[in-house]
């Protein structure tokens, strides 16, 4: 079925004939099959994850700039790295090759050996794109060819016709690239938007402005005072060199990874779909350039919800073409949106798929060029998104031959990122709870028992700790990222009902470009914390009946929202400021903040500041307590441990109490003596009988045991005996519980002395003695093997059991719960 009326058809035929008469200049692309995707070029490297291509009419070529990595096995841990082609490359469809756009003054030298490229602070080659981008000169001796740090730009790039330049907004930098002179310039506007990433730029020819919408990874303040991770609509006025917010009566809901394009015929910007962090969207919005107002489309249906799709406007057909992308799967469909009739039409054309794709249209050629990035052949890694292979495709629009596809319109509805749990009957739940009661009552002393087949499973929270909600009888479990689960929701294991509950109905996840990523800046759209390795950064507070978490908020250098200025801030470590002078100024920094999570409402709230370095918390009947372990300060920027020796200057390590009535932290310890060389494995537990806090994990081996006396407000190092073998105290493993009636502190240790890679130790408080408890299980059962960091240990006082939450089957597996009823040998003899 053809999609044009007779008058449109005649116009399209004349345009097609004109193109054919242009001769050899358009020969190569004109020979492509009509309205079909064709592979133009396949390169083993050159993919630019999260970066857009844009067509420059004055050069008749497509330009690509952005972060890249051609070797997924190479951990790009330095801010200067070598890449296989220059930062800026261009694709002329008539040539059919991507060509480095070397600055003219450096062409001779750099054609022999490319210079190193600057990258904002990275961890294993992953950068968020909202870390500060700086326009740098290639050497200190010679100015001449400034170029920005490579960064993720998404669709925050557009061609600016009045200046013939490509304009980029990334990492807080507004920069222009002149494709004819091969030259960058920092526009340095008087005012800038928050340094969002994942948004889109489009040129407004009516007002000669560049419009920005979408994106996130910032920390703005909503009208109600709460934190949000997005901004509104902004416009850049080149003549005044200033960004200004556009005040509109309505705004589209926040989103990432979708493109804004200009329909010049109807003088509107068109926006479709995107990633709302909790859902994929399929709504269509129009921004009226004359009125500077947003309005939603009234079309009865739309393509299926998605993000990461391409969007281009074709002035010959008057249509906005959309295709590909992903929701819960990669998509290959293609659509056309007609603003005049406000309707969507399916179009024939199987869109190429890839981890990330971007496209633009050469209006003078009627050609869409699309690039993807994919894995190398044979690459089977699951924790790697730095796919290097770049494939370039072309789609030649021939209006007279465009045909309608068989696709059907979807309702205007979102697609949730999470999986709904099946609804079970009350009878099933009661039966399971009865079995659980009996199983807990019959536990064999000092043997781990697998609490198998829960009503609902929960994902592994990588490097995840846990905390026990003594009011509701739940294990609260949060965390993930970096090769594991990425939702920022909290799972709760109901011990009595033997099932995991999802406490947040709409968890938020990072956009797919950070699948398994790290260093996510700002807050989520709804103002919650981004997921991260759980560690000991959260604990249950029986005073407020909420979970309290100390979690830093990473911000772009130069971006400090007014409402956060009073919060303490720091680099990840002093090492980065003193040693790593390659990135100066540092591209990001962190603010220390205190969060709460309400298990009943399933909602996050940013409560206020936290002392700098505070990051290891635990529960007590008095409230949540914490120590400024400040474990990131023990690392260099590549994530490796810095050396420590006892003669190093002492650091002030203090114990704090969260005062929920005042919403601040009260310091509990003073004095010159405190435990040293603490790290993320440091464990803490409260002794209600003596009003003491035990800290395990200080010293050169991180095996020292300290206590904080809350009456004297002083730290004191203990010298416990160690039962042989192994004649050495355990090294800290982050997890610890105190069992008051046994007068015992249990700690978890990762060790090579056992085939399973872990063990549990008991510190007998009265005897001041360590004793190892070899892992044991009932006959015919099994213990988890090689759980490493994916282990969390809590104590349930109601059922008198120690519960071990284990992430099994790797980082992407499900969590399992094991139960242990501990009794000391002296206790058993007493019975």
């Amino acid at each position: 079925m053809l999609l044009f009326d007779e008058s449109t058809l005649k116009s399209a035929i004349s345009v097609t004939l004109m193109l054919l008469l242009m001769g050899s200049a358009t020969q190569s692309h004109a020979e492509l099959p009509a309205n079909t995707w064709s592979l133009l070029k396949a390169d083993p490297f050159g993919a630019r994850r999260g970066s857009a291509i844009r067509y420059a009419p004055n050069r008749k070529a497509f330009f690509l700039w952005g972060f890249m990595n051609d070797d997924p096995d190479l951990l790009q841990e330095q801010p200067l790295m070598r890449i296989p082609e220059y930062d800026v490359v261009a694709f002329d469809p008539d040539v059919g090759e991507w060509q480095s756009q070397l600055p003219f003054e450096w062409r001779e030298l750099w054609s022999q050996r490319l210079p190193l490229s600057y990258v904002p602070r990275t961890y294993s080659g992953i950068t968020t794109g909202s870390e500060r981008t700086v326009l740098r000169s290639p050497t200190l001796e010679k100015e001449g060819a400034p170029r920005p740090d490579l960064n993720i730009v998404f669709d925050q790039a557009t061609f600016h016709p009045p200046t013939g330049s490509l304009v980029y907004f990334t990492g807080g930098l507004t920069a222009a690239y002149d494709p004819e002179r091969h030259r960058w310039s920092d526009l340095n506007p008087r005012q800038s938007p928050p340094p969002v990433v994942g948004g889109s730029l489009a040129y407004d020819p009516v007002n000669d402005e560049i419009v920005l919408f979408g994106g996130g990874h910032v920390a703005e303040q909503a009208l109600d005072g709460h934190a949000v991770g997005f901004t509104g609509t902004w416009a850049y006025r080149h003549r005044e060199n200033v960004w200004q917010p556009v005040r509109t009566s309505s705004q589209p809901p926040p989103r990432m990874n979708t493109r804004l394009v200009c329909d010049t015929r109807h003088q509107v910007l068109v926006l479709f779909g995107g990633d709302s962090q909790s859902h994929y969207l399929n709504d269509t919005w129009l921004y009226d350039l004359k009125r500077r107002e947003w309005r939603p489309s009234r079309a009865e249906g739309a393509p299926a919800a998605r993000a990461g799709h391409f969007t281009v406007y074709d002035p010959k057909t008057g249509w906005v073409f959309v295709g590909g992308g992903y929701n819960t799967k990669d998509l290959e469909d293609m659509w056309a949106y007609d603003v005049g009739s406000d309707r969507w039409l399916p179009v024939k054309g199987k869109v190429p798929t890839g981890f990330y794709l971007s496209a633009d249209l050469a209006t003078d050629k009627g050609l869409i060029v699309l690039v993807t990035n994919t894995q190398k052949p044979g690459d089977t890694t699951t924790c790697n998104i730095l796919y290097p292979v770049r494939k370039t495709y072309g789609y030649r629009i021939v209006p007279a031959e465009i045909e309608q596809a068989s696709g059907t319109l979807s309702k205007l509805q979102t697609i949730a990122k999470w999986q709904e749990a099946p609804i079970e009957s009350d009878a099933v739940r009661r039966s399971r709870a009865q079995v659980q009661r009996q199983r807990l009552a019959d536990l064999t002393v000092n043997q781990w028992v697998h609490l198998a087949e829960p009503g609902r499973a929960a994902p592994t929270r990588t490097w995840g700790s846990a905390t026990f909600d003594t009011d509701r009888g739940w294990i609260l479990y949060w965390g993930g990222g970096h090769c594991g689960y990425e939702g920022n929701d909290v799972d709760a294991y109901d011990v009595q009902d033997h099932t995991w509950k999802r406490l947040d109905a709409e968890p938020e996840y990072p956009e797919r470009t950070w699948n398994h990523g790290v260093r996510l800046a700002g807050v989520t759209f709804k103002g919650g914390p981004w997921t991260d390795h759980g560690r000991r950064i959260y604990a249950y507070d029986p005073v407020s009946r909420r979970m309290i978490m100390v979690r830093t908020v990473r911000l772009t250098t130069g971006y400090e929202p007014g409402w956060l200025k009073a919060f303490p801030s720091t680099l990840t470590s002093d090492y980065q400021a003193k040693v790593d002078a390659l990135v100066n100024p540092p591209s990001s920094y962190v603010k220390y903040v205190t969060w709460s999570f309400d298990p009943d409402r399933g909602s996050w709230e940013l409560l206020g500041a936290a002392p700098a370095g505070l990051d290891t918390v635990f529960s007590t009947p008095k409230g949540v307590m914490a120590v400024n372990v400040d474990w990131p300060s023990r690392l260099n920027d590549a994530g490796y441990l810095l050396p420590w020796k006892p003669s190093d200057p002492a650091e002030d390590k203090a114990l704090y109490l969260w005062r929920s009535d005042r919403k601040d932290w009260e310091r509990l310890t003073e004095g010159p003596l405190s435990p040293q060389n603490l790290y993320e494995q440091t464990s803490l537990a409260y002794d209600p009988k003596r009003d003491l806090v035990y800290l395990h994990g200080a010293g050169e081996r991180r095996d020292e045991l300290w206590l904080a006396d809350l009456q004297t407000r002083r730290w004191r190092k203990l010298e416990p005996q160690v039962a042989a073998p192994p004649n050495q105290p355990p090294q800290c493993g982050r997890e610890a519980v105190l069992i008051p009636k046994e007068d015992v502190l249990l700690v978890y240790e990762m060790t090579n002395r056992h085939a399973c890679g872990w063990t549990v130790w008991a510190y007998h408080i009265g005897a001041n003695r360590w004793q190892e408890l070899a892992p044991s299980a009932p006959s015919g059962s099994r213990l988890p093997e090689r759980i490493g960091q994916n282990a969390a240990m809590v104590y349930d006082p109601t059922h008198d059991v120690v519960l071990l939450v284990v992430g099994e089957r790797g980082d992407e597996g499900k969590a399992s719960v094991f139960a242990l009823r501990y009794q000391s040998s002296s206790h058993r003899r007493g019975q």
Side-chain angles (χ1 to χ4, degrees):
M1 176 182 174
L2 296 180
L3 303 182
F4 282 80
D5 57 27
E6 184 177 354
S7 61
T8 306
L9 181 60
K10 289 180 179 178
S11 174
I13 291 173
S14 66
V15 169
T16 303
L17 290 173
M18 188 178 298
L19 288 174
L20 293 174
L21 291 173
M22 290 176 66
S24 59
T26 58
Q27 188 69 29
S28 60
H29 69 265
E31 291 177 349
L32 293 176
N35 307 318
T36 301
W37 288 101
S38 303
L39 179 64
L40 304 179
K41 188 75 171 69
D43 297 300
F45 56 79
R48 309 292 181 105
R49 177 176 58 97
S51 296
I53 63 169
R54 288 295 179 266
Y55 185 67
N58 53 346
R59 278 289 311 279
K60 298 188 181 302
F62 294 85
F63 283 76
L64 175 61
W65 172 85
F67 177 83
M68 69 176 300
N69 181 354
D70 68 313
D71 185 355
D73 298 320
L74 177 63
L75 298 181
Q76 300 285 8
E77 294 163 344
Q78 302 299 327
L80 271 173
M81 69 180 194
R82 190 168 300 285
I83 57 177
E85 62 185 16
Y86 188 60
D87 308 10
V88 182
V89 291
F91 184 82
D92 183 339
D94 294 329
V95 176
E97 297 282 345
W98 286 97
Q99 297 177 328
S100 292
Q101 302 296 289
L102 299 173
F104 296 131
E105 56 267 56
W106 292 89
R107 180 176 292 174
E108 181 178 352
L109 178 62
W110 288 357
S111 61
Q112 301 172 26
R113 182 181 177 86
L114 288 171
L116 297 176
S117 294
Y118 282 93
V119 181
R121 292 190 175 277
T122 64
Y123 176 73
S124 298
I126 300 173
T127 176
T128 65
S130 56
E131 298 196 351
R132 184 68 188 178
T133 302
V134 178
L135 197 67
R136 301 177 188 274
S137 294
T139 69
L140 296 177
E141 295 80 18
K142 178 181 179 182
E143 299 293 332
R147 53 205 255 260
D149 301 341
L150 283 183
N151 209 352
I152 291 175
V153 72
F154 281 89
D155 281 297
Q156 292 174 194
T158 191
F159 183 74
H160 185 240
T163 58
S165 62
L166 294 159
V167 176
Y168 295 83
F169 180 68
T170 176
L173 172 75
T174 304
Y177 179 74
D178 185 331
E180 293 190 292
R181 299 172 60 210
H182 295 200
R183 191 172 183 85
W184 285 95
S185 58
D186 182 351
L187 297 179
N188 194 24
R190 291 182 285 115
Q191 176 177 288
S192 291
V196 291
V197 61
S200 180
L201 297 185
Y203 177 64
D204 166 8
V206 174
N207 302 293
D208 187 21
E209 295 177 346
I210 293 174
V211 177
L212 166 69
F213 181 80
H217 295 280
V218 292
E220 293 294 283
Q221 190 173 29
L223 294 177
D224 61 4
H226 286 83
V228 293
F230 59 92
T231 185
T233 307
W234 287 72
Y236 174 69
R237 297 177 181 175
H238 186 270
R239 284 168 294 184
E240 290 87 4
N241 192 27
V242 65
W243 284 95
Q244 291 186 333
V246 181
R247 308 300 179 189
T248 59
S249 58
S250 65
Q251 296 264 2
R255 65 199 64 208
M256 302 181 68
N257 207 0
T258 183
R259 184 180 177 188
L260 193 64
V261 296
C262 181
D263 178 341
T264 53
R265 182 178 299 181
H266 297 93
Q267 297 185 336
V268 295
L269 301 183
V270 180
L271 180 74
F272 168 74
D275 181 345
S276 77
Q277 296 181 355
S278 62
H279 296 73
Y280 298 107
L281 307 174
N282 74 333
D283 52 346
T284 305
W285 285 77
L286 307 174
Y287 178 73
D288 189 314
L289 298 178
K290 290 183 178 179
R291 299 176 58 242
R292 286 193 173 96
E293 283 288 346
W294 286 99
R295 70 176 188 272
S297 162
R298 300 185 183 278
E300 295 182 358
R306 69 192 65 206
H309 49 283
F310 79 83
T311 309
V312 299
Y313 171 72
D314 174 32
K316 295 184 178 67
T317 60
W319 286 356
V320 173
F321 287 93
V322 167
Y326 57 86
N327 41 48
T328 57
K329 61 182 180 181
D330 287 327
L331 304 171
E332 300 176 328
D333 54 340
M334 188 165 166
W335 297 79
Y337 174 67
D338 184 350
V339 172
S341 61
D342 195 15
R343 63 171 182 156
W344 284 94
L345 299 167
V347 174
K348 281 190 175 180
K350 188 176 181 181
V351 180
T353 60
F355 187 82
Y356 186 86
L357 61 84
S358 176
D360 203 11
L361 172 69
T363 54
D364 54 335
K365 302 177 187 294
L367 179 69
I368 302 174
V369 170
L370 179 148
V371 293
T372 69
N373 62 304
T374 56
Q375 291 170 286
K376 286 183 178 178
D379 181 3
T380 59
T381 55
T382 58
C383 185
N384 163 40
I385 59 170
L386 302 178
Y387 300 152
V389 177
R390 177 179 61 207
K391 292 184 178 179
T392 307
Y393 297 85
Y395 182 95
R396 186 169 64 93
I397 300 175
V398 179
E401 300 178 21
I402 294 178
E403 295 185 50
Q404 183 169 346
S406 58
T408 56
L409 293 171
S410 300
K411 295 180 180 179
L412 294 178
Q413 60 185 17
T414 61
I415 296 178
K417 289 189 175 184
W418 70 93
Q419 294 181 350
E420 295 285 356
I423 299 175
E424 59 183 8
S425 67
D426 289 341
V428 170
R429 185 186 62 80
R430 286 194 297 269
S431 175
R432 188 180 61 249
Q434 183 177 358
V435 172
Q436 177 81 335
R437 275 197 305 273
Q438 193 62 48
R439 179 163 51 184
L440 293 176
D442 296 342
L443 286 177
T444 303
V445 171
N446 295 348
Q447 285 188 334
W448 289 105
V449 173
H450 185 203
L451 304 182
E453 300 180 359
R456 172 187 172 269
T460 292
R461 306 289 185 146
T462 51
W463 290 56
S465 187
T467 186
F468 194 76
D469 180 338
T470 50
D471 292 296
R472 300 168 183 85
W474 295 347
I475 299 174
L476 302 180
Y477 190 41
W478 181 89
H482 199 182
C483 305
Y485 181 72
E486 295 180 285
N488 75 334
D489 53 321
V490 176
D491 274 308
Y493 175 75
D494 188 321
V495 178
Q496 180 171 304
D497 283 356
H498 183 44
T499 189
W500 287 95
K501 304 173 184 287
R502 184 188 292 279
L503 299 186
D504 186 346
E506 296 184 349
E508 293 177 290
Y509 302 70
E511 189 276 332
R512 187 167 79 163
T513 297
W514 291 289
N515 179 32
H516 301 156
V518 294
R519 283 199 165 172
L520 301 174
V523 298
T524 68
F525 281 161
K526 291 190 292 186
W530 288 110
T531 187
D532 194 9
H533 295 332
R535 298 184 172 99
R536 276 286 180 183
I537 63 175
Y538 61 93
Y540 182 68
D541 178 19
V543 178
S544 64
R545 290 175 56 91
R546 295 186 176 192
M547 188 178 86
I548 301 298
M549 182 167 68
V550 177
R551 169 83 162 88
T552 57
V553 173
R554 183 169 293 276
L555 299 172
T556 306
T557 296
Y559 168 62
E560 188 172 30
W563 68 291
L564 287 176
K565 283 190 176 180
F567 288 43
S569 60
T570 183
L571 292 171
T572 305
S573 72
D574 289 340
Y575 174 89
Q576 295 172 356
K578 296 174 182 176
V579 179
D580 184 5
L582 295 175
V583 175
N584 186 20
S587 60
S588 66
Y589 67 102
V590 295
K591 291 278 188 179
Y592 280 85
V593 301
T594 304
W595 300 83
S596 75
F597 180 81
D598 185 338
D600 293 327
R601 299 175 58 191
S603 60
W604 292 97
E605 182 180 0
L606 198 156
L607 299 177
L614 204 69
D615 56 13
T616 304
V617 303
F618 60 105
S619 294
T620 81
K622 297 182 176 184
V624 169
M625 294 187 186
V627 171
N628 57 328
V629 169
D630 194 13
W631 64 264
S633 67
R634 305 301 311 139
L635 303 174
N636 64 18
D637 195 52
Y640 297 116
L641 276 170
L642 296 170
W644 181 87
K645 53 185 181 298
S647 60
D648 285 350
E651 298 177 343
D652 179 24
K653 301 300 178 184
L655 184 68
Y656 293 83
L657 171 67
W658 171 249
R659 295 291 304 270
S660 58
D661 56 336
R662 302 191 317 224
K663 291 188 177 181
D664 66 7
W665 291 91
E666 176 186 348
R667 180 165 175 152
L668 300 180
T669 58
E670 302 292 345
L673 190 65
S674 64
Q676 298 296 301
N677 196 30
L678 305 182
Y679 190 48
E680 60 181 322
Q681 304 301 323
T682 297
S683 57
L684 293 142
Y686 176 72
D687 181 349
K689 184 185 298 185
R690 301 170 180 84
D691 197 24
L692 302 173
V693 170
Y694 291 93
L695 181 149
H696 177 231
E700 196 162 10
R701 290 188 67 250
R702 295 196 171 107
D703 60 359
E704 294 177 358
L705 186 64
W706 288 67
L707 64 81
D709 189 322
L710 299 183
Q711 300 303 313
T712 65
R713 302 172 68 89
R714 291 290 187 268
W715 287 101
R716 178 162 59 90
K717 181 183 175 184
L718 300 175
E719 299 291 347
Q721 301 174 345
V722 181
N727 299 319
Q728 280 189 325
Q731 291 183 307
C732 59
R734 189 182 60 224
E735 301 303 309
V737 297
L738 194 140
I739 307 176
K741 76 173 192 176
E742 295 291 333
D743 215 21
V744 158
L745 173 71
L746 296 184
V747 301
Y748 173 89
E749 182 191 32
M750 291 179 292
T751 177
N752 293 325
R753 290 182 292 102
H754 298 288
C756 65
W758 64 280
T759 187
V760 173
W761 287 70
Y763 171 68
H764 299 273
I765 298 174
N768 191 29
R769 178 171 57 91
W770 283 112
Q771 181 180 19
E772 183 179 12
L773 306 177
S776 61
S779 176
S781 183
R782 65 181 180 85
L783 280 171
E785 295 184 359
R786 298 294 170 188
I787 56 181
Q789 300 286 359
N790 296 339
M793 196 163 64
V794 299
Y795 177 64
D796 176 359
T798 301
H799 296 94
D800 186 28
V801 292
V802 178
L803 299 166
L804 182 69
V805 184
V806 171
E808 295 196 87
R809 298 187 299 280
D811 292 334
E812 295 183 332
K814 299 297 183 181
S816 295
V817 180
F818 289 78
L820 171 75
R821 174 157 290 120
Y822 175 82
Q823 285 186 3
S824 65
S825 56
S826 59
H827 192 149
R828 294 198 298 275
R829 283 196 300 271
Q831 288 182 330

